[in-house]
Amino acid sequence: MKTRFRNSRRRPAVPGRWLVALLGVLALGRPHAALAQGEREEAPPPRRPRIGLVLGGGGALGIAHVGILKVLETERIPVDCIGGTSMGAIVAGLYAAGLAPEEIEKTLVGVDWWEVLKDQTPRRDLHFRRKQDDKRYLFDLELGLRGWHILAPTGLAAGQKFNNIMQTLTLSTAGIDDFDRLNIPFRAVATDAVTGKAVILDRGNLATAMRASMAVPGLFTPVAIEGRLLVDGGVVNNVPVDVVRGMGADLVIAVDVGAIKARPDARKLENVAGILSRTYAILTRPRQDAQLAQADIVILPDVSAFSAADFHRAAGIIPCGVKAAQQAAETLRRHSVSREEYDRFLRAQRRRPAGDIVVSRVVTAGNRLVDDRIVRRRIRTQPGDTLDFARLNADLARIHGLGDFQTVSYRLRPDGDKYELNCLMREKPWGPAYLHMGLRLQSNMDNEANWQVLLNYTRTRLNPLGAEWRADLQGGSVQRLFTEFYQPLSFAGTFFVAPSIDVSDQIRDVYEDDDRIARYDVRLRQGRLDLGIQMSNHGEARAGAVVGHGKAQTDAGATALPGFDEPIGAWALQFVLDRLDNAVFARHGYLIGIEAFLAREFLGGTVYYDRVRALYDQFFTRGAHTAQVSLKGGTSLGSTLPPYDEFLLGGPFSLAGLAQDQLRGQYFAAGSLGYRYRLVKLPPSLGEGVYIGARADAGNVWGEQDDINADDLRYGLLLAIGADTVLGPAVIGWGHADGGENQAFLSLGTTF
């Protein structure tokens, strides 16, 4: 207890007559009858201390704060003001907004943290052109190009999904921009990325402030608020006791989830991660310890069994907070209040507005390069609607799926008895010109390998309708230059025109039975003009004319395949319906593709033939088990395909056990039944998962239509283990075909 010293200066004596008068006034202040009865005037009860709660940062470890709140409520400890940093700011902000600890727990445990931290638009909501890019590029890496300067994103994730979850949870605070007016006065701490100084967030949008406090450098992108670029507050003030003390708290309870984990332990210094963690602790612990020294009660949950990235283990982290608070229960009980008083506190803390939220109007902001008419066509929520959060989140996903925005969020502003819906977009600072890279390596483990590299340049938003130019430069086993100009014909983007040029040169192996007898060099130069229809995000249909020149000749070996050096002219048609949730390791959805190449002499070519190909893939998943059905086939419709354009079959991804493209012919059919089991779900920073699977194949090619017979089918069996990683898909396996043929294989990288 702090001692208060009195002022020692001697005061002048009060004259007697003034003392008598003062006593008379005091006597007149109470009824004379009461004094006669000898009543004793009771002193007012002492004011209880104003209690402040500080919740420190620590990534996923901060989820333990939920357990602290649960015990505080059990012990009837009212929280008069609250503040936090990083994950501590998240929990503190939700509590200040009126959520009960059990509601916060349900949210944090129920969140799909893999999806939130990966922060990618679900594939089903991607614009179809971005969906086509989904399997082509390495690392999902997108760089910007401005002049001759290469720009990189400012974080692995923009916090799009996390921000919108917070906006929904704090909906009751819509219209409150002063955090002192929340159910519990609240402060969040962030760091100014320019000055390096702490920024105390005491007003504005609550969800945005919480997100800014948790903008972990390198993991989440910074948050711009009032002209300042903010990152995680833990950089400068991870346990902001001084901030809560400055809110008028007489008694401060501080919770530090990182203290025990940061204690020196030589056993943890045996690897790079341990050394880096200890170095960070040496740099930051003195400031945190200085803050804790200012607190009246300090609680240190033991979360040493978890890491700051273990968000998916929320259910196991919360009990650590419960245990730590229970150990401090005796000290906490000294500040318990009566049941009646605590009930009043809970009523105030849980206070939320009642009734439906009706939208008065929809406002868009932040879309400088993307025409507002394009954005609004993707918003289904309209003025007069009762707000449906499932529909709203779908609206935001469709806008984000355009590929132009770093974040797409929303805010609600009171507008009379309704609410104005603000759709807030932040365009990618490194756009609208992008660089991508692709890499693919495939080997049969027998000194034979195919490799390909890809460099892509895409320039988007060339005009208000959303035109874009794409250029691919490909090297390796296939050398190719492809460029396309894609021009939508309306703001809805339903119809488009797409001229393109495609120049390629590749070597194809030629087999006779099971023996490779030659290599065929195929060179194509083609120009194409397509008219097309985009079917929302699901797919597209296009038709156009192709003109060009083809040349094919034997590069090595002896073969009867003829040479070819002639002009090409054809109609080309293509239909794709893509509803897969993943381009490579799909778990749900289907893919339908049909393409036709109808060579005609009147279009300038010297050959006449029809080539039609179709495929169908369907995936079904329950838990960790995924089943696949695949069918594909092709026909020349009775014409004769030139050797360079025959159908090819064989390899680990078409007919297991055979060499890549071992079979060729005028007709083909193949089918597969596959099963895949997810062995482990990888953390978001590493990828999706590791799988083991098997597939049974059946198929063949034929030279004549009359030769097609189910009795001629070849059969194959594939066993493989694969991983869907941030570097791209990786698969290693073994295939066996009837006739005793076996092929081991390794496949790394993307598909393009």
Side-chain angles (χ1 to χ4, degrees):
M1 182 175 178
K2 295 184 179 180
T3 304
R4 296 183 182 274
F5 293 92
R6 296 178 181 273
N7 193 322
S8 60
R9 182 180 299 173
R10 187 177 181 87
R11 297 180 181 178
V14 179
R17 63 178 180 275
W18 291 106
L19 179 59
V20 172
L22 179 60
L23 291 174
V25 170
L26 292 175
L28 292 173
R30 289 183 55 84
H32 185 270
L35 292 176
Q37 295 172 9
E39 283 189 10
R40 182 178 179 182
E41 184 176 4
E42 296 182 1
R47 183 182 69 87
R48 71 169 179 82
R50 178 176 170 83
I51 299 175
L53 179 62
V54 180
L55 304 181
L61 306 180
I63 297 175
H65 294 313
V66 179
I68 301 292
L69 292 176
K70 294 172 75 172
V71 175
L72 290 179
E73 292 205 344
T74 299
E75 300 298 336
R76 301 199 304 273
I77 311 297
V79 177
D80 300 297
C81 55
I82 191 169
T85 297
S86 195
M87 194 65 196
I90 301 298
V91 177
L94 294 178
Y95 195 60
L99 275 72
E102 291 74 19
E103 292 178 279
I104 304 174
E105 177 180 27
K106 182 179 179 181
T107 297
L108 298 182
V109 171
V111 163
D112 186 344
W113 287 104
W114 275 271
E115 285 298 317
V116 169
L117 296 179
K118 188 174 61 175
D119 205 35
Q120 293 178 348
T121 301
R123 195 169 184 273
R124 65 179 179 272
D125 294 320
L126 288 176
H127 186 275
F128 183 70
R129 286 186 69 79
R130 303 289 77 82
K131 190 177 291 187
Q132 289 176 306
D133 295 341
D134 191 39
K135 62 181 179 180
R136 304 179 78 231
Y137 304 135
L138 197 63
F139 311 120
D140 286 329
L141 179 63
E142 181 178 76
L143 300 174
L145 185 64
R146 191 165 298 158
W148 293 103
H149 299 283
I150 295 178
L151 308 176
T154 52
L156 296 178
Q160 156 86 8
K161 294 181 179 178
F162 187 72
N163 179 80
N164 289 336
I165 289 173
M166 293 300 106
Q167 291 285 3
T168 301
L169 291 174
T170 59
L171 189 63
S172 62
T173 68
I176 298 177
D177 59 4
D178 182 351
F179 295 164
D180 282 336
R181 295 176 51 218
L182 296 172
N183 294 354
I184 301 175
F186 164 75
R187 299 290 185 272
V189 177
T191 303
D192 189 315
V194 177
T195 66
K197 295 181 179 179
V199 177
I200 301 173
L201 299 170
D202 59 358
R203 62 184 60 253
N205 178 266
L206 177 59
T208 304
M210 294 157 60
R211 160 75 176 85
S213 183
M214 196 178 166
V216 182
L219 177 60
F220 286 122
T221 56
V223 176
I225 297 180
E226 296 181 354
R228 293 180 295 192
L229 207 57
L230 305 182
V231 297
D232 193 299
V235 175
V236 291
N237 193 352
N238 200 45
V239 190
V241 174
D242 57 339
V243 173
V244 173
R245 184 75 75 180
M247 297 173 71
D250 303 309
L251 177 80
V252 174
I253 303 170
V255 186
D256 185 358
V257 295
I260 292 179
K261 196 174 181 68
R263 289 173 180 171
D265 185 346
R267 294 172 297 179
K268 299 178 181 178
L269 305 180
E270 297 176 351
N271 53 55
V272 174
I275 294 292
L276 291 175
S277 177
R278 180 58 188 154
T279 302
Y280 180 76
I282 292 172
L283 294 173
T284 60
R285 283 312 308 179
R287 282 178 290 177
Q288 296 182 49
D289 292 339
Q291 288 288 329
L292 293 175
Q294 302 177 46
D296 300 287
I297 300 174
V298 176
I299 302 176
L300 308 176
D302 185 357
V303 288
S304 54
F306 303 91
S307 78
D310 284 343
F311 291 94
H312 58 289
R313 301 176 66 187
I317 296 174
I318 291 173
C320 298
V322 172
K323 182 178 180 180
Q326 288 174 339
Q327 291 173 344
E330 184 176 346
T331 302
L332 293 172
R333 288 191 192 109
R334 299 172 189 170
H335 307 287
S336 296
V337 298
S338 67
R339 171 58 62 187
E340 293 76 16
E341 184 175 353
Y342 198 72
D343 286 344
R344 288 195 296 272
F345 163 75
L346 285 183
R347 284 194 296 271
Q349 187 270 326
R350 305 284 204 270
R351 184 176 61 246
R352 300 188 208 176
D356 293 330
I357 295 175
V358 179
V359 178
S360 61
R361 60 176 180 155
V362 179
V363 177
T364 58
N367 49 318
R368 181 177 58 88
L369 294 175
V370 183
D371 193 280
D372 201 52
R373 287 164 287 190
I374 294 176
V375 171
R376 287 188 173 275
R377 287 180 179 273
R378 284 160 174 78
I379 300 176
R380 305 286 187 267
T381 304
Q382 297 298 316
D385 290 350
T386 297
L387 195 62
D388 182 323
F389 287 102
R391 181 189 297 176
L392 175 59
N393 286 325
D395 291 343
L396 302 178
R398 277 190 294 271
I399 298 171
H400 197 256
L402 290 169
D404 300 278
F405 301 107
Q406 187 176 37
T407 59
V408 181
S409 59
Y410 76 92
R411 291 184 191 172
L412 293 171
R413 300 184 183 278
D415 186 12
D417 59 348
K418 299 180 181 180
Y419 287 85
E420 177 185 280
L421 173 61
N422 287 230
C423 294
L424 308 175
M425 293 150 279
R426 186 185 181 199
E427 293 176 338
K428 294 176 179 177
W430 59 95
Y434 304 103
L435 290 175
H436 306 92
M437 292 172 287
L439 172 66
R440 181 172 179 81
L441 172 65
Q442 187 172 316
S443 171
N444 64 1
M445 308 289 202
D446 191 23
N447 299 321
E448 293 183 12
N450 293 318
W451 63 274
Q452 298 173 55
V453 294
L454 170 69
L455 177 63
N456 165 267
Y457 172 81
T458 300
R459 174 63 165 89
T460 64
R461 303 301 159 189
L462 290 168
N463 56 41
L465 290 175
E468 72 175 49
W469 173 47
R470 169 186 290 174
D472 288 348
L473 180 62
Q474 186 174 327
S477 305
V478 178
Q479 300 179 34
R480 185 185 184 208
L481 174 63
F482 172 80
T483 182
E484 179 187 64
F485 183 80
Y486 178 87
Q487 176 63 68
L489 300 179
S490 68
F491 291 105
T494 305
F495 298 97
F496 64 87
V497 60
S500 63
I501 297 174
D502 192 350
V503 178
S504 66
D505 188 349
Q506 63 176 307
I507 302 293
R508 296 178 180 174
D509 293 328
V510 181
Y511 289 81
E512 185 174 293
D513 295 327
D514 300 333
D515 299 321
R516 187 175 63 182
I517 61 173
R519 305 181 72 188
Y520 206 45
D521 186 359
V522 179
R523 302 178 182 180
L524 298 174
R525 312 288 185 265
Q526 298 178 344
R528 179 167 172 168
L529 177 63
D530 284 334
L531 295 174
I533 300 174
Q534 182 118 180
M535 295 168 284
S536 185
N537 298 328
H538 306 337
E540 71 173 24
R542 57 168 68 193
V546 179
V547 295
H549 190 275
K551 183 177 182 180
Q553 61 187 17
T554 302
D555 180 70
T559 176
L561 291 175
F564 179 86
D565 189 357
E566 300 290 345
I568 297 171
W571 296 116
L573 301 95
Q574 182 176 312
F575 171 83
V576 180
L577 193 59
D578 186 346
R579 298 295 288 158
L580 298 179
D581 65 334
N582 187 292
V584 180
F585 291 94
R587 304 184 74 235
H588 302 280
Y590 59 87
L591 172 67
I592 298 174
I594 302 172
E595 57 184 20
F597 191 85
L598 312 176
R600 296 293 184 267
E601 295 177 353
F602 72 85
L603 289 173
T606 58
V607 293
Y608 176 100
Y609 69 91
D610 298 326
R611 187 182 192 275
V612 181
R613 186 177 185 275
L615 66 88
Y616 166 74
D617 283 330
Q618 178 83 55
F619 293 85
F620 309 89
T621 292
R622 183 171 184 177
H625 307 274
T626 299
Q628 173 191 1
V629 176
S630 179
L631 298 171
K632 53 188 173 184
T635 176
S636 63
L637 297 178
S639 63
T640 301
L641 302 180
Y644 68 85
D645 214 9
E646 288 184 315
F647 295 111
L648 305 173
L649 191 65
F653 300 105
S654 63
L655 189 56
L658 300 182
Q660 185 69 37
D661 300 336
Q662 180 173 329
L663 306 179
R664 63 173 56 238
Q666 301 285 311
Y667 302 86
F668 92 100
S672 301
L673 292 176
Y675 167 78
R676 186 171 70 241
Y677 177 76
R678 187 172 64 197
L679 293 172
V680 62
K681 193 172 184 180
L682 295 174
S685 58
L686 297 180
E688 291 281 350
V690 178
Y691 307 89
I692 187 169
R695 195 186 72 230
D697 301 327
N700 207 346
V701 301
W702 297 274
E704 300 290 342
Q705 187 172 353
D706 293 340
D707 296 336
I708 300 174
N709 193 320
D711 294 336
D712 294 337
L713 292 178
R714 301 288 304 270
Y715 297 93
L717 175 66
L718 175 74
L719 300 175
I721 183 169
D724 193 359
T725 74
V726 293
L727 302 178
V731 182
I732 185 170
W734 170 83
H736 172 77
D738 58 341
E741 296 176 80
N742 298 283
Q743 290 279 342
F745 72 93
L746 169 69
S747 177
L748 299 173
T750 54
T751 302
F752 45 87

